Amino acid sequence: MILLASEENIKRASEVIRNGGVVAFPTETVYGLGADALNKDAVIKIFEIKERPLFDPLIVHIDEIKWIEKLTIEFNEIAKKLVEAFWPGPLTIVFKKSDIVPYITTGGLNTVAIRMPDNEIALKLIRYSQTPIAAPSANKFGYISPTSARMVYEQLNDKVDIILDGGKTRYGIESTIVYIENEDVYILRLGAIEIEKIESVINKKVIISEKVKSPGQFKFHYAPYTRLIIFNSFDEVENKLKNYKKVVLISIKRENLKLPDNVIYDFFSENGDLREVAKNLFEKLYYYDKMNVDIIFVQAVKEEGIGRAIMDRLRKAQNRY
Ligand code: AMP
Ligand code: MG
């Protein structure tokens, strides 16, 4: 059931969490599917509902820094700097876990991924639940992440008791995930916090390496069922359009294009603002995926700032086929 995220309904949802149930709720990135992170029986329900493999660890959401002491065994200087600079916000940090965090939450790892969301509804839900909330995105495993309560409902319908509706999410793309070792910061997943910003806080380069693998970073992910192809120039895509009956073409900014009749045209942003593109990305892909077209062509963005995370999601969507 979708409930407006009023004070009363957030309290009601926190009762569900405290009783070992599952609630979908908005964060500033995408909608999450949450359960008490310290309750094994509750966490297992998340995996069941999402049909997510058990080795794919969850992110634990907290409302106050004091939880770090309880959930982890080491809070080093670099982690402190990052927390100070970016929390609450879309940066997830991987810590060495303490004994109270069950292995089901961490996919069997000795580390735990933690973040403090920058969304009042999420923060209140955690506060009223009086426990950290483990929450992956509220979609079926591998599919497009939801950026509205309706997208959650259409994917998970009555498998969750409560879906708190807090409107469209502000970033529309998942958090950046980092891991710290020997004073180096490794990027485990590109996301809403730009790596350039992280580098200016730590005063050195971050490490992005294919070799540093986080479980759960699959080759295809966040993917529509419809085939998706990334294109760079309109010239390149133009002669491909006639090979299909029904085509969707989405550009980064609004363009004035002459296109054949078999093409449905759309754009991610009015003037190319990448934050706007990120915000609309999953919603547009989801919308056109339901339309039964043969193919979706999506224009590439420049790989800088949040553009890196956008390209990461597009490549993973392209990799379904
Ligand atoms: P999401 O599905 O958006 O909730 O993101 C969860 C992802 O965070 C997982 O798929 C992992 O890639 C990453 N993650 C969570 N916990 C850890 C951890 N302890 N170590 C490394 N990566 C993690
Ligand atoms: Mg996810």
Side-chain angles (χ1 to χ4, degrees):
M1 151 175 52
I2 299 182
L3 293 178
L4 191 72
S6 63
E7 193 68 18
E8 198 190 329
N9 287 336
I10 300 173
K11 286 200 169 127
R12 197 167 146 191
S14 73
E15 289 296 321
V16 173
I17 298 277
R18 271 196 289 193
N19 290 320
V22 176
V23 167
F25 63 99
T27 75
E28 79 280 36
T29 57
V30 301
Y31 273 69
L33 185 64
D36 180 349
L38 307 181
N39 177 340
K40 287 184 226 170
D41 299 314
V43 171
I44 196 116
K45 292 178 189 162
I46 294 177
F47 288 93
E48 282 167 2
I49 294 171
K50 277 185 67 92
E51 296 167 27
R52 178 176 172 115
L54 287 172
F55 60 80
D56 189 357
L58 307 179
I59 294 171
V60 173
H61 296 71
I62 61 173
D63 64 326
E64 283 187 55
I65 302 283
K66 68 165 203 271
W67 278 111
I68 295 185
E69 253 169 67
K70 296 183 181 144
L71 302 172
T72 76
I73 54 173
E74 187 195 317
F75 190 15
N76 63 39
E77 285 311 309
I78 293 181
K80 279 184 186 149
K81 266 192 193 166
L82 293 175
V83 161
E84 197 166 306
F86 298 110
W87 284 10
L91 180 76
T92 298
I93 304 174
V94 173
F95 295 90
K96 298 196 173 73
K97 83 172 195 71
S98 72
D99 289 339
I100 66 165
V101 184
Y103 280 106
I104 180 89
T105 303
T106 67
L109 300 171
N110 287 320
T111 51
V112 57
I114 303 179
R115 83 177 191 96
M116 187 188 289
D118 188 14
N119 174 298
E120 268 314 305
I121 299 162
L123 290 171
K124 277 185 182 168
L125 180 67
I126 302 164
R127 191 172 326 135
Y128 298 153
S129 302
Q130 296 174 334
T131 184
I133 295 183
S137 48
N139 51 287
K140 284 273 183 199
F141 178 69
Y143 195 58
I144 304 169
S145 304
T147 54
S148 69
R150 174 135 299 275
M151 275 171 81
V152 179
Y153 184 77
E154 286 176 4
Q155 288 191 60
L156 305 179
N157 43 60
D158 295 323
K159 293 202 176 76
V160 271
D161 299 327
I162 294 180
I163 300 167
L164 285 176
D165 189 347
K168 184 168 166 172
T169 57
R170 185 148 48 92
Y171 286 87
I173 207 161
E174 294 84 351
S175 62
T176 303
I177 306 179
V178 299
Y179 175 68
I180 303 158
E181 195 173 68
N182 302 330
E183 315 216 331
D184 282 322
V185 174
Y186 294 83
I187 303 292
L188 297 181
R189 177 177 72 189
L190 292 162
I193 294 281
E194 299 89 336
I195 59 177
E196 292 87 343
K197 285 205 181 130
I198 297 174
E199 287 172 339
S200 79
V201 167
I202 59 172
N203 263 321
K204 66 197 273 194
K205 289 272 173 203
V206 299
I207 301 170
I208 316 177
S209 163
E210 275 292 305
K211 280 188 214 120
V212 195
K213 272 264 156 83
S214 183
Q217 294 305 302
F218 301 93
K219 233 181 120 233
F220 103 74
H221 207 159
Y222 317 107
Y225 295 115
T226 312
R227 181 142 181 235
L228 180 148
I229 293 199
I230 305 168
F231 71 92
N232 288 292
S233 72
F234 291 108
D235 287 345
E236 166 201 333
V237 81
E238 213 180 326
N239 44 34
K240 290 187 185 153
L241 297 173
K242 59 179 181 311
N243 299 339
Y244 305 90
K245 254 213 209 102
K246 214 169 161 194
V247 178
V248 170
L249 186 147
I250 315 178
S251 60
I252 296 309
K253 61 178 172 55
R254 184 199 283 272
E255 305 279 354
N256 215 333
L257 301 169
K258 272 217 173 68
L259 294 164
D261 286 347
N262 64 331
V263 182
I264 301 166
Y265 170 68
D266 201 353
F267 47 91
F268 284 120
S269 74
E270 198 59 49
N271 43 31
D273 173 3
L274 291 187
R275 298 220 149 253
E276 195 62 26
V277 174
K279 189 172 174 173
N280 294 322
L281 182 72
F282 288 137
E283 186 180 64
K284 297 262 182 202
L285 295 183
Y286 183 75
Y287 177 78
Y288 289 112
D289 197 27
K290 288 195 299 184
M291 257 193 178
N292 236 331
V293 299
D294 301 314
I295 192 156
I296 304 173
F297 285 106
V298 176
Q299 189 181 14
V301 298
K302 215 168 163 192
E303 286 193 66
E304 58 184 28
I306 203 168
R308 292 175 206 266
I310 294 169
M311 284 306 287
D312 170 76
R313 304 303 186 270
L314 289 176
R315 287 202 186 95
K316 285 189 168 137
Q318 181 171 257
N319 283 343
R320 185 187 275 282
Y321 297 96

